[in-house]
Amino acid sequence: MFKKILIANRGEIACRVAATARRMGIQSVAVYSDADAHARHVTFCDEAIAIGPAAASESYLNIDRVIAAAKQSGAEAIHPGYGFLSENEAFAAACEKAGLVFIGPPASAIRAMGSKSAAKSLMEKAQVPLVPGYHGDNQDPVFLQGQADQIGYPVLLKATAGGGGKGMRIVTRSEDFADALSSCQREAKNSFGDERVLVEKYLTRPRHIEIQIFADTQGNCVSLFERDCSVQRRHQKVLEEAPAPGMSEERRQAMSAAAVAAAKAVAYVGAGTVEFIANQDGSFYFMEMNTRLQVEHPVTEMITGTDLVEWQLRVAAGERLPQLQHELTITGHAIEARIYAENPEKGFLPSTGRLDYLHMPQAVQFTQGAVRIDAGVTQGDVISPFYDPMIAKLIVHGKDRAEALARMAQALAAFQVVGPATNVAFLGRLIASEPFAAADLDTGLIERHHDSLFPQPQTLPLAVLALAAVSLVRSATSATGEPWAQLSGWRMNSTYQRSFAFSSEAGVQTIQLSYRRDALWLEAGDLQVPLKDISVSQAAVQVRMDGLQLQGHVVRQQDTFHVFHAGHHWQILWRDPIAHAGEGEADEGRLTAPMPGKIIALLVSAGERVARGAPLLIMEAMKMEHTINAPSDGTVSELLYAVGDQVDEGAQLLSLSVGEA
Ligand code: ADP
Ligand code: ADP
Ligand code: MG
């Protein structure tokens, strides 16, 4: 076995490969771009070598630099992960030339499967069923349109060099063919440097079912069964599961046999996936072969109890497959959800930014089943525009599909991200949706159920308003458990009230908090409920509302509150009346306290020039801090109170001469 390997990738897959290497006593070497100097995979591996600028073409895709890093580190083999150089024939050949083992198939197999057209010709010979279509060399537009007319519409145009759901066009009428073809060719040329296309019958309501195969150098090739990856957006997988719901043993064997035949036709070695498109009646056709480890390989690992990276390492080191076909069985059901930094409401457009707050569910191994998280990021990391916006993969296993689903729903509910937009909430709705729960799967599921998957914004439940308001009660737990008992800024013997206006997509909602002798009361409309046993510890907020124990997490970013409660992420904007108190008074240059409280910090001094919005002083009222900002540009003419002073409602705090100095 190897003593040291280099991992030519980043993110979750680099960490995942390193974890297996560590378990097997193999040293791992990371490579990283300038953008990834502090990335998780860099610290996770035993060594790390910088290979260039952020742009992938100058780092992770730069064959010479990756090979040089491997030589420098003394690694004996390179694991390419997925994406980047994993299906690059020249890279596999360069490894060999440099005396390094490429942990993947022979370069010849990558070449054979690299073009979707050439692969189809090969499969035709191996008698693997193909979608009706044209995959030949003739690229004459008139000829191709003639082929499409013969196949019958709708047809799908695909870049033969394509991948990642790119370079595809559905054409529904002959008249649209020419335009679709040129646009497809343009995208193919831009994305893959090869404008050739193939034409296929476009199946309606198909399922994407793929077979994981594994071959060794001793002539063994097994099927590790199927994965159903039908739930997609933009022809890209969102949820994957194994086994495929409704799969019969007979069909599984037929698909496995076709996949193994495909692998044998190209003298395959290592991990590979043969993707099929299947009709609802179960008939299936070869689509393409991915000559690498797949993103969704963990669902297969979970149902077969294998570690496919370990298999890859053993096969690459010349060992026999750890298990042969008769030793492989399926146990339970596994589902993977890809957590992406993207905006489902905006057509699933990728989103970027810092992961300001990241709380992932706990990984657990149950006697039957598990929750697994494959992540390449930690809180504070940035999802940059340079690479794939996947944040993590959440994988669950249960004794059956229903249990796996329930576990997934629970785990998703505990996945909290503040920073870039994510698909977490969307995944939660998808998992809970009627068609997914009923396993009524096909590649159009998301589009067809768009309306129910994207419901109208809901008004904020009282619990959410209560959690947001309570989170403003700073370091609330006192010895008596009555946070407000020690409060200096309010009058012990009178009722003290404060309004909060929260706005969300559903509009503005106002509540009052009032401090009475016995409790903090929340009032909303006609409703009045006591809030007791308040505890705020960092993001975690607990409160007993009218006898109901509420728990949630509240993450505040300026005036935006992210409330995580009952599996939902609510984004609400707080319009702080104190912060905005001066706005109406700008002309007079006076700033008054809208309620009694204590001055806890002065941020400016007399005579200082301030710009509109500049923080002037911090006031504490009802155990909550508020910054008072300059309502306009001006000069501070006088400060009327000192730190520690109590001020009454309406008291002028400072004066500001408005305008140019
Ligand atoms: P898979 O076929 O393994 O499920 P996808 O179809 O989702 O993968 O992705 C297609 C391609 O997109 C992958 O082959 C890979 O080239 C690229 N890709 C996806 N995720 C990443 C990532 N995190 N880093 C780099 N490339 C990625
Ligand atoms: P990629 O290389 O981008 O993964 P694939 O050929 O694997 O491209 O196709 C990606 C997805 O596009 C499939 O999972 C499926 O949802 C859809 N698709 C591909 N071919 C067809 C077809 N002939 N009819 C209907 N949908 C298809
Ligand atoms: Mg594919």
Side-chain angles (χ1 to χ4, degrees):
M1 184 46 64
F2 312 114
K3 290 194 174 54
K4 194 188 255 193
I5 61 167
L6 179 131
I7 302 166
N9 214 297
R10 63 181 302 282
E12 66 89 16
I13 192 62
C15 296
R16 189 258 166 276
V17 172
T20 291
R22 175 159 304 151
R23 188 174 57 70
M24 293 174 71
I26 300 168
Q27 298 270 307
S28 59
V29 183
V31 290
Y32 64 95
S33 71
D34 292 348
D36 280 341
H38 304 287
R40 182 164 182 262
H41 77 278
V42 172
T43 40
F44 201 80
C45 291
D46 298 306
E47 285 171 45
I49 298 176
I51 51 164
S57 57
E58 294 180 61
S59 48
Y60 298 107
L61 286 172
N62 186 310
I63 295 178
D64 293 342
R65 287 191 194 151
V66 172
I67 300 271
K71 296 305 272 181
Q72 181 194 331
S73 69
E76 305 146 83
I78 300 187
H79 194 302
Y82 55 74
F84 296 129
L85 296 170
S86 63
E87 293 181 277
N88 186 309
E89 180 199 343
F91 180 64
C95 287
E96 198 181 335
K97 197 163 152 230
L100 296 158
V101 176
F102 175 72
I103 303 170
S108 57
I110 299 178
R111 183 184 337 114
M113 290 296 181
S115 153
K116 289 187 205 285
S117 305
K120 286 183 127 189
S121 300
L122 259 171
M123 292 307 109
E124 213 161 21
K125 285 196 202 109
Q127 298 190 325
V128 176
L130 299 182
V131 188
Y134 175 77
H135 52 264
D137 291 331
N138 193 339
Q139 296 288 305
D140 174 50
V142 178
F143 173 81
L144 288 175
Q145 181 161 357
Q147 291 295 313
D149 292 346
Q150 239 174 61
I151 296 162
Y153 294 89
V155 298
L156 185 63
L157 288 170
K158 270 189 201 177
T160 61
K166 271 201 191 142
M168 289 199 264
R169 293 289 182 282
I170 301 164
V171 192
T172 46
R173 307 178 308 169
S174 189
E175 325 53 308
D176 301 337
F177 189 89
D179 285 349
L181 176 65
S182 46
S183 127
C184 185
Q185 286 170 326
R186 262 196 313 278
E187 186 170 311
K189 184 134 182 70
N190 286 336
S191 305
F192 313 107
D194 181 344
E195 63 176 11
R196 281 174 299 172
V197 300
L198 60 85
V199 192
E200 266 179 18
K201 175 88 194 151
Y202 183 70
L203 305 186
T204 45
R205 302 203 61 167
R207 280 167 73 177
H208 173 121
I209 298 178
E210 58 187 35
I211 300 280
Q212 173 72 56
I213 62 99
F214 230 106
D216 63 21
T217 48
Q218 281 131 62
N220 300 300
C221 182
V222 299
S223 154
L224 288 115
F225 318 113
E226 79 280 4
R227 292 183 285 256
D228 190 314
C229 313
S230 299
V231 184
Q232 306 183 343
R233 48 108 183 79
R234 290 196 269 107
H235 301 301
Q236 271 194 303
K237 300 155 188 170
V238 179
L239 294 175
E240 300 106 340
E241 60 185 303
M247 176 66 88
S248 69
E249 192 48 46
E250 202 185 348
R251 182 92 53 198
R252 174 173 294 132
Q253 278 182 20
M255 292 183 91
S256 290
V260 168
K264 288 198 164 149
V266 294
Y268 201 79
V269 176
T273 294
V274 181
E275 295 189 331
F276 295 100
I277 190 125
N279 280 311
Q280 294 292 326
D281 68 7
S283 55
F284 61 90
Y285 308 104
F286 172 86
M287 201 157 42
E288 64 163 345
M289 180 168 184
N290 292 329
T291 53
R292 56 176 161 87
L293 191 67
Q294 204 96 335
V295 176
E296 59 275 19
H297 74 279
V299 292
T300 300
E301 295 184 324
M302 281 191 157
I303 61 157
T304 55
T306 52
D307 177 337
L308 296 183
V309 172
E310 176 178 346
W311 282 43
Q312 286 189 297
L313 293 168
R314 294 202 180 283
V315 165
E319 293 182 26
R320 201 205 75 173
L321 287 179
Q323 282 173 282
L324 297 179
Q325 196 68 60
H326 67 275
E327 297 168 286
L328 289 162
T329 50
I330 296 176
T331 307
H333 197 97
I335 307 177
E336 173 180 281
R338 299 191 189 188
I339 316 277
Y340 277 110
E342 68 180 16
N343 199 331
E345 280 73 23
K346 292 188 182 147
F348 298 96
L349 272 182
S351 159
T352 55
R354 207 178 90 104
L355 297 163
D356 291 320
Y357 174 81
L358 175 65
H359 176 90
M360 295 190 268
Q362 234 183 332
V364 230
Q365 181 72 54
F366 303 103
T367 31
Q368 269 199 335
V371 175
R372 165 173 164 182
I373 295 144
D374 283 16
V377 291
T378 44
Q379 183 169 300
D381 286 354
V382 173
I383 302 295
S384 77
F386 300 112
Y387 315 113
D388 187 272
M390 193 160 74
I391 297 172
K393 304 188 304 205
L394 179 58
I395 314 108
V396 297
H397 182 239
K399 67 176 189 306
D400 53 25
R401 190 173 192 264
E403 189 178 275
L405 258 166
R407 210 159 259 163
M408 178 58 89
Q410 198 173 45
L412 277 172
F415 211 111
Q416 306 173 343
V417 186
V418 172
T422 76
N423 64 344
V424 174
F426 172 76
L427 289 170
R429 294 194 297 269
L430 193 54
I431 286 284
S433 72
E434 206 275 318
F436 189 75
D440 181 13
L441 306 174
D442 73 275
T443 59
L445 186 147
I446 292 176
E447 253 169 67
R448 198 168 47 258
H449 296 279
H450 187 274
D451 291 352
S452 56
L453 290 170
F454 293 92
Q456 289 301 308
Q458 256 180 286
T459 54
L460 303 170
L462 198 62
V464 170
L465 294 168
L467 287 166
V470 156
S471 76
L472 286 162
V473 180
R474 196 164 44 90
S475 57
T477 324
S478 72
T480 61
E482 291 176 290
W484 50 92
Q486 302 177 329
L487 204 68
S488 48
W490 68 289
R491 301 153 200 169
M492 290 294 281
N493 298 315
S494 65
T495 300
Y496 198 71
Q497 208 179 50
R498 161 119 216 246
S499 269
F500 295 88
F502 290 117
S503 68
S504 66
E505 283 178 310
V508 178
Q509 287 167 263
T510 306
I511 57 163
Q512 271 86 42
L513 280 191
S514 63
Y515 289 84
R516 299 187 199 159
R517 298 219 77 157
D518 61 331
L520 178 66
W521 284 72
L522 185 151
E523 298 166 16
D526 297 337
L527 201 78
Q528 296 197 4
V529 287
L531 302 177
K532 294 187 173 176
D533 301 333
I534 296 169
S535 130
V536 180
S537 164
Q538 290 176 342
V541 178
Q542 288 193 32
V543 59
R544 192 176 295 279
M545 180 171 79
D546 203 13
L548 183 75
Q549 183 68 30
L550 297 182
Q551 302 191 8
H553 287 81
V554 183
V555 179
R556 184 172 169 189
Q557 291 186 307
Q558 286 91 40
D559 285 347
T560 301
F561 285 64
H562 296 266
V563 181
F564 296 94
H565 173 65
H568 292 278
H569 177 177
W570 307 85
Q571 250 186 73
I572 60 188
L573 197 72
W574 177 40
R575 202 177 146 76
D576 180 352
I578 298 189
H580 297 278
E583 282 176 3
E585 305 167 40
D587 298 344
E588 295 135 72
R590 289 181 64 215
L591 284 154
T592 55
M595 60 192 341
K598 189 164 92 173
I599 306 295
I600 60 169
L602 292 172
L603 307 172
V604 290
S605 36
E608 198 172 320
R609 279 290 298 157
V610 291
R612 181 189 153 86
L616 304 176
L617 62 78
I618 302 176
M619 218 185 128
E620 184 194 71
M622 295 170 74
K623 270 280 185 198
M624 296 165 234
E625 277 185 19
H626 302 286
T627 305
I628 296 195
N629 302 309
S632 58
D633 293 354
T635 305
V636 178
S637 37
E638 199 179 358
L639 292 165
L640 301 164
Y641 289 93
V643 170
D645 286 350
Q646 291 290 332
V647 294
D648 285 330
E649 183 174 343
Q652 187 181 350
L653 300 171
L654 52 75
S655 60
L656 191 69
S657 6
V658 176
E660 298 297 311

